[in-house]
Amino acid sequence: MLVPILKQGDYLIASIQSELSDADLLKLREDLVRRVSDFRSRGVIVDVTVLDVMDSFATRTLRSMAHMIMLRGAETVIVGIQPEVAFSMVQLGLKLEGVETALDLEEGLALLDHRTKGDNKSAR
Protein backbone atom coordinates (compact mmCIF):
# COMPACT_ATOMS: atom_id res chain seq x y z
CA MET A 1 0.00 0.00 0.00
CA LEU A 2 1.52 3.28 -1.07
CA VAL A 3 1.22 6.23 1.29
CA PRO A 4 0.66 9.57 -0.47
CA ILE A 5 3.32 12.13 0.38
CA LEU A 6 2.29 15.73 -0.32
CA LYS A 7 4.59 18.74 -0.45
CA GLN A 8 3.17 21.78 1.36
CA GLY A 9 5.69 24.62 1.23
CA ASP A 10 8.77 23.56 3.19
CA TYR A 11 6.97 20.52 4.63
CA LEU A 12 6.09 17.01 3.55
CA ILE A 13 2.83 15.44 4.73
CA ALA A 14 2.45 11.66 4.68
CA SER A 15 -1.15 10.65 5.34
CA ILE A 16 -1.54 6.96 6.05
CA GLN A 17 -4.79 5.83 4.42
CA SER A 18 -5.08 2.25 5.75
CA GLU A 19 -3.32 -0.30 7.92
CA LEU A 20 0.25 -0.87 6.74
CA SER A 21 2.31 -4.02 6.65
CA ASP A 22 5.83 -3.99 8.07
CA ALA A 23 7.20 -3.77 4.51
CA ASP A 24 4.92 -0.78 3.81
CA LEU A 25 6.23 1.01 6.91
CA LEU A 26 9.82 0.43 5.84
CA LYS A 27 9.03 1.73 2.34
CA LEU A 28 7.38 4.83 3.83
CA ARG A 29 10.47 5.46 5.97
CA GLU A 30 12.74 5.11 2.94
CA ASP A 31 10.54 7.37 0.77
CA LEU A 32 10.27 10.12 3.38
CA VAL A 33 13.99 10.22 4.14
CA ARG A 34 14.78 10.38 0.41
CA ARG A 35 12.18 13.09 -0.28
CA VAL A 36 13.42 15.27 2.57
CA SER A 37 16.70 15.43 0.65
CA ASP A 38 15.10 15.77 -2.78
CA PHE A 39 12.84 18.67 -1.74
CA ARG A 40 15.15 20.12 0.94
CA SER A 41 12.20 19.96 3.31
CA ARG A 42 12.38 21.50 6.77
CA GLY A 43 9.61 19.41 8.31
CA VAL A 44 7.62 16.21 7.95
CA ILE A 45 4.19 15.34 9.29
CA VAL A 46 3.07 11.72 9.47
CA ASP A 47 -0.69 11.41 9.97
CA VAL A 48 -1.55 8.10 11.67
CA THR A 49 -5.23 8.89 12.35
CA VAL A 50 -6.53 5.75 10.59
CA LEU A 51 -4.29 3.35 12.52
CA ASP A 52 -6.21 1.28 15.06
CA VAL A 53 -3.06 -0.46 16.29
CA MET A 54 0.56 0.58 16.69
CA ASP A 55 2.67 -2.41 17.58
CA SER A 56 6.31 -2.39 18.66
CA PHE A 57 7.57 -2.61 15.06
CA ALA A 58 5.45 0.34 13.91
CA THR A 59 6.53 2.39 16.92
CA ARG A 60 10.23 1.58 16.39
CA THR A 61 9.94 2.34 12.67
CA LEU A 62 8.26 5.72 13.24
CA ARG A 63 10.87 6.58 15.88
CA SER A 64 13.79 5.61 13.62
CA MET A 65 12.17 7.48 10.71
CA ALA A 66 12.00 10.66 12.79
CA HIS A 67 15.63 10.28 13.87
CA MET A 68 16.80 9.69 10.27
CA ILE A 69 14.85 12.74 9.11
CA MET A 70 16.39 14.78 11.94
CA LEU A 71 19.85 13.73 10.74
CA ARG A 72 18.86 15.09 7.32
CA GLY A 73 18.09 18.47 8.93
CA ALA A 74 14.29 18.35 9.19
CA GLU A 75 11.78 18.08 12.04
CA THR A 76 9.15 15.33 12.28
CA VAL A 77 5.73 15.44 13.93
CA ILE A 78 3.45 12.41 14.29
CA VAL A 79 -0.21 13.47 14.36
CA GLY A 80 -3.54 11.78 14.95
CA ILE A 81 -2.74 9.05 17.47
CA GLN A 82 -6.18 7.82 18.54
CA PRO A 83 -6.96 7.75 22.30
CA GLU A 84 -7.34 3.95 22.32
CA VAL A 85 -4.03 3.55 20.50
CA ALA A 86 -2.28 5.88 22.95
CA PHE A 87 -3.76 3.92 25.87
CA SER A 88 -2.56 0.62 24.40
CA MET A 89 0.90 2.01 23.69
CA VAL A 90 1.28 3.13 27.30
CA GLN A 91 0.03 -0.21 28.61
CA LEU A 92 2.58 -2.04 26.41
CA GLY A 93 5.41 0.35 27.30
CA LEU A 94 5.79 1.59 23.71
CA LYS A 95 7.29 5.08 23.45
CA LEU A 96 8.02 7.55 20.68
CA GLU A 97 11.03 8.99 22.51
CA GLY A 98 12.48 12.05 20.87
CA VAL A 99 9.56 12.38 18.45
CA GLU A 100 7.17 15.31 18.53
CA THR A 101 3.46 14.49 18.48
CA ALA A 102 0.38 16.63 17.98
CA LEU A 103 -3.36 16.12 18.14
CA ASP A 104 -4.10 16.73 14.45
CA LEU A 105 -2.71 18.12 11.21
CA GLU A 106 -3.48 21.73 12.14
CA GLU A 107 -1.58 21.49 15.42
CA GLY A 108 1.23 19.59 13.68
CA LEU A 109 1.67 22.38 11.13
CA ALA A 110 1.63 25.01 13.89
CA LEU A 111 4.27 23.03 15.82
CA LEU A 112 6.50 22.76 12.74
CA ASP A 113 6.07 26.47 12.04
CA HIS A 114 7.09 27.27 15.61
CA ARG A 115 10.08 24.89 15.58
CA THR A 116 11.44 25.74 12.13
CA LYS A 117 10.69 29.46 11.93
CA GLY A 118 11.31 30.11 15.62
CA ASP A 119 14.78 28.57 15.35
CA ASN A 120 15.67 30.88 12.44
CA LYS A 121 14.72 34.01 14.39
CA SER A 122 16.94 33.05 17.32
CA ALA A 123 19.87 32.31 14.98
CA ARG A 124 19.87 35.84 13.47
Side-chain angles (χ1 to χ4, degrees), residues 62-121:
L62 288 172
R63 188 173 55 234
S64 69
M65 177 191 315
H67 292 172
M68 288 176 187
I69 289 168
M70 179 191 65
L71 290 171
R72 300 296 303 148
E75 302 278 340
T76 301
V77 179
I78 308 292
V79 302
I81 297 175
Q82 296 298 318
E84 301 81 17
V85 174
F87 179 78
S88 296
M89 288 175 69
V90 169
Q91 294 298 315
L92 295 171
L94 303 176
K95 299 177 182 173
L96 288 168
E97 296 152 333
V99 180
E100 295 283 351
T101 60
L103 186 61
D104 56 24
L105 182 59
E106 185 178 352
E107 284 191 15
L109 287 168
L111 180 59
L112 280 179
D113 282 343
H114 174 73
R115 303 240 341 154
T116 61
K117 293 181 172 107
D119 291 343
N120 285 343
K121 290 177 185 171

Side-chain angles (χ1 to χ4, degrees), residues 35-48:
R35 289 187 188 193
V36 163
S37 298
D38 292 349
F39 295 119
R40 304 182 71 75
S41 299
R42 299 182 58 184
V44 174
I45 292 179
V46 180
D47 186 349
V48 298

